[in-house]
């Protein structure tokens, strides 16, 4: 359902968030010479004259109640901190840098540049959701794309093949990288910029979302001298953050850590990181073979994609190394099935896999405005949940969360330690996993999500897609 306080993107981009809050104005209509705004200002004649000078347009103002103006502002314009405002204004003449710094300052993880038949647009991903921020003319779009490709050292003449690059930007406060990916589409190139803040490498395992028991289980598994630790989940579920937090725990002067990544998302002091380059034969499997001759203690493989990589990871763990990696499966137990499907013998999985982890990210309810609700959710009848949810919280929206009802995200985990009993069952291909998890009090993704709903950390609407 469309938000009644939503402003169309072509109007939204007429003014900055700083101007919107400073003058208490929201755009209503745009013509070639005239812009129309709603405002709660009392001195409308004076304000109209000032805005005409600022924007170089004829300005018409319509009166509106203060509470309505506030709702429009909170729904559509994210405010920056004073320091960040001053920093961004130094780039005010550069549209591209303004977009990048705006995305960085409001906590966006990705910037999407997309072109279609009649228009192009820019969208930002915030807390896992895409938000349209700018509409660009078809004439301006290629200039922006070429500027990005030059900054990322990509070939601007190559528009038929995908390309990957990297941009490094430095401010007075922070040094951060941007991963650039181009994709040829029907009407032109689509670019996605992933913002990689180097501050994120300081994240601790304790702050990610593990329960106390899960954290103990996971730390025990990753501090073993050898074996494999696998983390599964879809793209954007926080696997990389968990891996880097794990490397931070293991990164000691007496430990030799090697990683092969595609791409290197964060640089870690004291860790030897290798960038995958398949076009010259530097793939996961071949690099792992070389790693074994580099006297490693810990090896991180960005992703197990094929049987060769899986076999090399197992070989590395059998020769006394700890191997960390990710894999795309829907649950922790599905990881075992996936390895078997790849052709890895079950007895090797049983003897090398320390722990299998699955994770997802859910948005957290804003503590300032969440509302307690009695009774069961209307969709609950479609889900097999043994424990009744007597009370839960719903998203409302307030100034603190920009009227979204959510603020930040939390990782939800499913952790299956590979015990002696499980080893025997894997080797013999005999196990009823649901009964095993129940008997050993191992919480699944569903169980942990429902627990967060009961605690009021997130809403039923947020976890519902993961439960059906």
């Amino acid at each position: 359902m469309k938000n009644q306080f939503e402003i169309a993107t072509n109007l939204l981009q007429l003014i900055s968030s700083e101007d919107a809050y400073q003058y208490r104005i929201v755009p209503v209509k745009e013509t070639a010479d005239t812009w129309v705004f709603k405002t709660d200002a009392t001195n409308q004649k004076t304000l109209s004259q000032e805005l005409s000078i600022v924007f170089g347009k004829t300005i018409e103002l319509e009166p509106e109640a203060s509470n309505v103006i506030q709702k429009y502002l909170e729904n559509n314009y994210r405010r920056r901190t004073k320091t960040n405002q001053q920093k961004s204004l130094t780039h005010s003449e550069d549209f591209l840098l303004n977009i990048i710094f705006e995305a960085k300052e409001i906590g966006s993880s990705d910037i999407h540049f997309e072109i279609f038949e009649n228009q192009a647009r820019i969208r930002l991903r915030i807390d896992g959701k895409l938000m349209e921020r700018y509409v660009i003319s078809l004439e301006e779009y290629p200039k922006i794309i070429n500027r990005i490709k030059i900054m990322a050292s990509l070939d601007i003449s190559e528009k038929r093949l995908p390309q990957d690059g990297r941009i490094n930007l430095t401010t007075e406060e922070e040094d951060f990288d941007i991963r650039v990916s181009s994709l040829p589409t029907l009407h032109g190139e689509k670019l996605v910029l992933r913002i990689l803040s180097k501050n994120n490498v300081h994240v601790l395992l304790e702050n990610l979302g593990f329960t106390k028991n899960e954290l103990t289980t996971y730390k025990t598994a990753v501090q073993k001298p050898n074996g494999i630790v696998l983390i599964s989940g879809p793209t954007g579920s926080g696997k990389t953050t968990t891996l880097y937090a794990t490397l931070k725990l293991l990164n000691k002067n007496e430990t030799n850590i090697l990683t092969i990544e595609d791409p290197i998302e964060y640089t870690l002091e004291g860790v030897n990181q290798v960038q995958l380059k398949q076009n010259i034969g530097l793939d996961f499997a071949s690099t792992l073979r070389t790693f074994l001759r580099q006297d490693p203690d810990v090896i991180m493989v960005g992703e197990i994609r094929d049987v060769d990589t899986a076999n090399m990871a197992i070989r590395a763990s059998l020769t006394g190394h700890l191997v960390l990696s990710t894999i795309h499966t829907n649950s922790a137990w599905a990881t075992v099935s996936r390895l078997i499907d790849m052709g890895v013998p079950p007895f090797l999985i049983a003897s090398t896999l320390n722990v299998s982890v699955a994770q997802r990210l859910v948005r957290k309810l804003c503590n300032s405005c969440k509302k307690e609700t009695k009774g069961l959710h209307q969709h609950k009848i479609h889900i097999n949940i043994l424990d009744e949810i007597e009370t839960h919280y719903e998203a409302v929206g307030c100034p603190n969360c920009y009227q979204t009802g959510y603020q930040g995200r939390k990782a939800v985990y499913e952790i299956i330690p590979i015990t002696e009993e499980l080893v025997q069952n894997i080797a013999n291909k005999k196990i009823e996993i649901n009964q095993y998890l129940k008997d050993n009090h191992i919480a699944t993704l569903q169980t942990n999500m429902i627990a967060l709903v009961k605690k009021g950390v997130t809403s039923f609407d947020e976890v519902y897609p993961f439960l059906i």
Side-chain angles (χ1 to χ4, degrees):
M1 186 176 69
K2 187 174 180 180
N3 189 331
Q4 62 173 318
F5 296 106
E6 186 176 332
I7 301 173
T9 306
N10 63 311
L11 297 175
L12 189 67
Q13 65 191 39
L14 292 179
I15 59 175
S16 67
S17 59
E18 290 79 16
D19 289 334
Y21 277 96
Q22 179 181 346
Y23 296 111
R24 302 281 300 175
I25 54 175
V26 292
V28 175
K29 186 179 178 181
E30 173 196 17
T31 64
D33 301 316
T34 304
W35 289 357
V36 182
F37 295 97
K38 288 183 179 182
T39 183
D40 59 359
T42 54
N43 54 338
Q44 291 190 14
K45 184 176 180 181
T46 304
L47 179 59
S48 177
Q49 294 172 347
E50 182 178 347
L51 292 176
S52 296
I53 296 172
V54 171
F55 299 124
K57 299 281 184 180
T58 300
I59 302 298
E60 295 181 5
L61 299 178
E62 298 178 355
E64 185 58 87
S66 290
N67 64 321
V68 175
I69 293 295
Q70 189 64 29
K71 285 279 188 181
Y72 273 112
L73 293 175
E74 292 167 359
N75 269 272
N76 298 279
Y77 293 102
R78 294 208 169 205
R79 302 194 77 169
R80 308 174 187 177
T81 65
K82 186 175 181 181
T83 303
N84 284 338
Q85 285 179 6
Q86 293 171 348
K87 177 176 65 180
S88 293
L89 288 175
T90 64
H91 305 287
S92 59
E93 299 303 318
D94 192 317
F95 178 62
L96 176 59
L97 285 179
N98 250 345
I99 294 168
I100 293 173
F101 278 97
E102 176 189 358
K104 178 72 173 63
E105 290 158 12
I106 65 177
S108 173
S109 60
D110 300 88
I111 310 171
H112 291 242
F113 294 80
E114 302 166 309
I115 184 167
F116 304 99
E117 184 176 3
N118 299 315
Q119 69 174 26
R121 68 180 179 182
I122 299 173
R123 294 192 292 173
L124 307 181
R125 186 175 293 280
I126 302 172
D127 287 341
K129 305 293 182 182
L130 280 171
M131 176 190 77
E132 189 173 272
R133 183 63 184 92
Y134 295 100
V135 173
I136 311 170
S137 67
L138 296 180
E139 293 75 23
E140 290 296 319
Y141 187 79
K143 299 176 186 177
I144 296 173
I145 295 303
N146 284 339
R147 171 80 190 284
I148 296 171
K149 292 176 75 173
I150 290 170
M151 292 173 67
S153 301
L154 301 181
D155 183 358
I156 62 172
S157 65
E158 180 55 79
K159 304 180 187 299
R160 302 164 301 169
L161 295 172
Q163 297 185 70
D164 294 297
R166 203 176 187 92
I167 300 171
N168 178 262
L169 288 177
T170 303
T171 70
E172 295 178 359
E173 299 175 350
E174 187 180 359
D175 178 25
F176 65 95
D177 290 335
I178 298 171
R179 190 179 78 200
V180 180
S181 173
S182 73
L183 177 72
T185 65
L186 178 62
H187 299 289
E189 288 182 283
K190 170 183 168 67
L191 260 64
V192 175
L193 276 60
R194 166 66 60 87
I195 299 173
L196 306 171
S197 173
K198 293 182 181 178
N199 285 343
N200 287 353
V201 301
H202 301 301
V203 69
L204 299 174
L205 286 172
E206 288 79 3
N207 300 332
L208 294 182
F210 290 103
T211 65
K212 187 176 180 180
N213 290 337
E214 287 172 344
L215 184 61
T216 301
T217 300
Y218 184 73
K219 280 188 172 182
T220 301
V222 300
Q223 289 176 327
K224 290 182 179 180
N226 59 278
I228 301 178
V229 174
L230 289 179
I231 302 176
S232 68
T235 301
S237 60
K239 300 187 300 296
T240 301
T241 301
T242 301
L243 278 179
Y244 277 103
T246 306
L247 289 179
K248 185 174 183 295
L249 174 72
L250 300 175
N251 190 11
K252 298 179 175 61
N253 286 334
E254 63 270 20
T255 304
N256 179 23
I257 301 178
L258 301 174
T259 76
I260 171 68
E261 305 172 55
D262 182 28
I264 296 172
E265 298 207 1
Y266 308 112
T267 54
L268 291 172
E269 188 70 28
V271 175
N272 304 282
Q273 296 173 269
V274 178
Q275 168 68 54
L276 186 79
K277 294 178 183 176
Q278 286 186 319
N279 58 325
I280 60 172
L282 188 66
D283 56 20
F284 285 130
S286 63
T287 307
L288 270 172
R289 292 187 187 95
T290 303
F291 277 4
L292 296 180
R293 298 190 289 272
Q294 287 284 318
D295 187 31
D297 297 297
V298 179
I299 296 172
M300 188 189 95
V301 184
E303 182 184 345
I304 292 181
R305 297 174 178 171
D306 51 50
V307 65
D308 288 340
T309 307
N311 284 330
M312 283 305 304
I314 286 174
R315 177 182 166 188
S317 67
L318 286 171
T319 52
H321 308 95
L322 179 66
V323 180
L324 311 175
S325 190
T326 68
I327 191 168
H328 285 286
T329 60
N330 292 325
S331 66
W333 179 248
T335 295
V336 176
S337 302
R338 173 78 175 123
L339 291 174
I340 293 173
D341 291 341
M342 281 183 173
V344 179
F347 73 90
L348 280 181
I349 300 173
S351 59
T352 58
L353 189 61
N354 292 352
V355 67
S356 179
V357 180
Q359 75 176 85
R360 302 290 188 275
L361 285 178
V362 297
R363 291 184 296 170
K364 296 189 294 184
L365 284 167
C366 173
N367 288 324
S368 300
C369 63
K370 64 183 181 182
K371 181 181 69 175
E372 186 176 3
T373 303
K374 298 287 184 181
L376 301 178
H377 193 280
Q378 59 178 339
H379 297 304
K380 187 179 184 300
I381 57 173
H382 302 298
I383 305 172
N384 182 25
I385 301 171
L386 297 178
D387 296 327
E388 297 293 330
I389 301 177
E390 297 179 358
T391 62
H392 59 95
Y393 287 82
E394 293 182 344
V396 178
C398 70
N400 290 332
C401 60
Y402 305 102
Q403 298 297 331
T404 63
Y406 298 92
Q407 200 167 38
R409 291 190 291 175
K410 183 181 183 69
V412 183
Y413 292 92
E414 175 180 301
I415 298 181
I416 300 180
I418 308 303
T419 61
E420 190 64 35
E421 177 187 355
L422 202 51
V423 164
Q424 294 299 322
N425 286 316
I426 292 173
N428 298 327
K429 297 184 180 181
K430 295 179 181 179
I431 189 166
E432 174 50 55
I433 189 60
N434 291 329
Q435 189 60 45
Y436 175 85
L437 296 179
K438 186 177 179 181
D439 293 343
N440 289 271
H441 308 289
I442 296 174
T444 63
L445 285 170
Q446 283 196 355
T447 304
N448 282 331
M449 286 185 183
I450 292 300
L452 292 180
V453 172
K454 290 180 178 180
K455 293 176 183 176
V457 175
T458 190
S459 68
F460 197 93
D461 287 334
E462 178 67 11
V463 304
Y464 178 68
F466 300 105
L467 302 178
I468 55 177

